[in-house]
Amino acid sequence: MSSPTAVEHTLTDQNDLLQVTDLRVTFRRGTRDVHAVNGLSYAVDRGKTLAIIGESGSGKSVSSRALMGILPDSATIEGEIRVDGIDLLSLTDSQMRAHRGSTIAMVFQDPLRALNPTMKVGAQVVEAVRAHGGVSRREAKDRALELLRLVRLPEPVQRFHSYPHQLSGGMRQRVAIAVALGGNPRVLVADEATSSLDVTTQAQIMDLLKDLQRELNMALIMISHDLGLAASYADDVIVMYAGRAVERASAVDLFQNVRMPYTKALLEAIPDPRRPPHATFTVAPGQPPDPSQLTSGCAFAPRCARAQPNCAEQAPPFAEDADGHRYACWYPLGYAPELETNNA
Ligand SMILES: Nc1ncnc2c1ncn2[C@@H]1O[C@H](COP(=O)(O)OP(=O)(O)O)[C@@H](O)[C@H]1O
Ligand SMILES: [Mg+2]
């Protein structure tokens, strides 16, 4: 296999398990088109963790729901989503149903919404296991218990018979992860899966997800508004803005050589644990653009301290440097010393 550098290998290898190419999601809202995802491309391999980071509204959830095939009918999806070479967007609804859960599974922010409040948690894991294979009730029950042990639910035999409301938030998220693992997915998407938990529980759940990813050799996509969390757990990071990737690199490289002014603003916006999850945090002056009124220029230009007149006219290409670090910026940090000193 030809892989010039480790970074390039993880970012661009054609053999990667999941390959998303030029993904576009548009919602029809009245007479307007809402361009929620505007040409997103990435790849993740087995045993790797990709973090997708960005402010609220940047298209993180919509792009991951597209992978799962769970967007509403008002969404038009274009591009390619390939897992092991199979293009999920070309599947029929019933073929997609068979893939959902067994190819790609998802864990959401709120485990209470993912779980059925009127059903014992053990039975919910059994149901998830049975949905994906011809297993007997007995085998499914054994497997469900095994999964509850795997997600380190304390006292799994007793808790098998608990209802979701009888468990703590962290335990409920463990159960939701067990449900997601019921179909033996090869790709696990965790969308703000720890955002509603306290800091200690958040770290425990992230550690669990990382361990599961290693043990089961899954590709893990962690979606977060918290760049610090991404840094600690991801191999590679994509920063999204206005439905596009604006910077993409290995976690280490991103922090050492941040290029995109937007990423720098994210780095400087230290998340406040007391703030409600999903609240828009102040990254740079102004707001992200309205996705129904995107222009041909760089979407971040109106908020960017480094912007020059040409930024508003033409969007920069998603350029790649020699290390495989990609960024969409005409005036990247670290490359224009005279601008650096002017804005210091
Ligand atoms: N069902 C929908 N109909 C119309 N617009 C939507 C719908 N779902 C999401 N959007 C819009 O798509 C954009 C991206 O949303 P989302 O992916 O949820 O952002 P993030 O997860 O990054 O916070 C937002 O502008 C949001 O308002
Ligand atoms: Mg979201």
Side-chain angles (χ1 to χ4, degrees):
M1 200 187 299
S2 67
S3 53
T5 66
V7 171
E8 255 183 39
H9 169 77
T10 56
L11 292 179
T12 62
D13 196 301
Q14 292 302 301
N15 296 318
D16 282 346
L17 175 66
L18 171 67
Q19 290 169 38
V20 175
T21 311
D22 202 21
L23 181 67
R24 288 166 197 275
V25 181
T26 309
F27 295 100
R28 191 84 192 152
R29 194 159 61 198
T31 54
R32 277 190 177 159
D33 284 336
V34 178
H35 299 280
V37 183
N38 297 302
L40 179 66
S41 301
Y42 62 81
V44 203
D45 208 358
R46 296 162 189 83
K48 292 285 178 193
T49 301
L50 172 73
I52 300 181
I53 301 300
E55 275 170 294
S56 191
S58 53
K60 306 181 299 293
S61 292
V62 169
S63 56
S64 54
R65 281 167 181 272
L67 305 188
M68 285 285 284
I70 53 169
L71 285 171
D73 289 340
S74 59
T76 305
I77 310 167
E78 296 161 275
E80 268 185 14
I81 300 170
R82 286 185 185 275
V83 180
D84 257 346
I86 297 171
D87 183 7
L88 299 186
L89 295 182
S90 69
L91 301 180
T92 64
D93 284 355
S94 70
Q95 287 171 323
M96 189 60 208
R97 258 195 304 280
H99 271 276
R100 193 179 304 136
S102 65
T103 299
I104 304 181
M106 204 159 164
V107 182
F108 299 90
Q109 178 175 353
D110 183 359
L112 267 188
R113 280 178 63 189
L115 298 173
N116 180 340
T118 66
M119 202 173 159
K120 291 177 180 172
V121 297
Q124 300 193 46
V125 184
V126 169
E127 196 172 72
V129 171
R130 295 203 79 187
H132 299 285
V135 288
S136 70
R137 272 211 100 73
R138 181 75 247 162
E139 287 166 332
K141 192 173 175 210
D142 290 346
R143 176 71 183 140
L145 201 55
E146 197 180 307
L147 285 169
L148 290 175
R149 287 204 180 92
L150 192 67
V151 299
R152 298 182 216 136
L153 182 73
E155 303 183 314
V157 177
Q158 293 90 315
R159 294 244 159 73
F160 199 91
H161 302 288
S162 300
Y163 288 96
H165 74 266
Q166 296 172 310
L167 305 181
S168 69
M171 284 193 253
R172 283 197 287 259
Q173 196 57 296
R174 288 176 196 275
V175 173
I177 294 168
V179 168
L181 295 178
N184 293 316
R186 285 172 284 166
V187 180
L188 186 64
V189 183
D191 188 354
E192 305 273 6
T194 62
S195 301
S196 63
L197 304 171
D198 64 80
V199 178
T200 310
T201 315
Q202 179 174 62
Q204 288 167 354
I205 297 290
M206 278 315 306
D207 289 340
L208 172 68
L209 286 169
K210 280 300 283 185
D211 290 347
L212 291 169
Q213 178 234 41
R214 273 185 225 112
E215 283 166 42
L216 306 172
N217 202 27
M218 294 182 293
L220 176 65
I221 298 179
M222 59 169 290
I223 294 174
S224 178
H225 59 276
D226 183 345
L227 194 43
L229 197 69
S232 329
Y233 292 96
D235 298 298
D236 298 317
V237 179
I238 286 180
V239 179
M240 277 188 85
Y241 191 75
R244 283 205 178 100
V246 294
E247 184 151 16
R248 189 180 79 175
S250 70
V252 175
D253 193 30
L254 186 73
F255 285 86
Q256 285 174 356
N257 304 305
V258 59
R259 298 291 185 219
M260 177 66 196
Y262 176 64
T263 309
K264 184 155 182 276
L266 275 181
L267 277 170
E268 285 163 359
I270 301 153
D272 181 346
R274 289 161 306 180
R275 228 174 353 224
H278 264 326
T280 317
F281 49 101
T282 310
V283 171
Q287 293 292 317
D290 177 345
S292 67
Q293 296 187 329
L294 296 178
T295 65
S296 61
C298 170
F300 186 60
R303 303 171 74 187
C304 181
R306 295 169 72 85
Q308 301 294 312
N310 66 317
C311 296
E313 282 150 31
Q314 202 187 355
F318 198 40
E320 183 166 356
D321 70 15
D323 299 324
H325 188 141
R326 286 186 154 228
Y327 49 87
C329 185
W330 292 120
Y331 303 101
L333 296 149
Y335 276 125
E338 73 286 0
L339 278 169
E340 208 93 83
T341 39
N342 287 348
N343 285 293

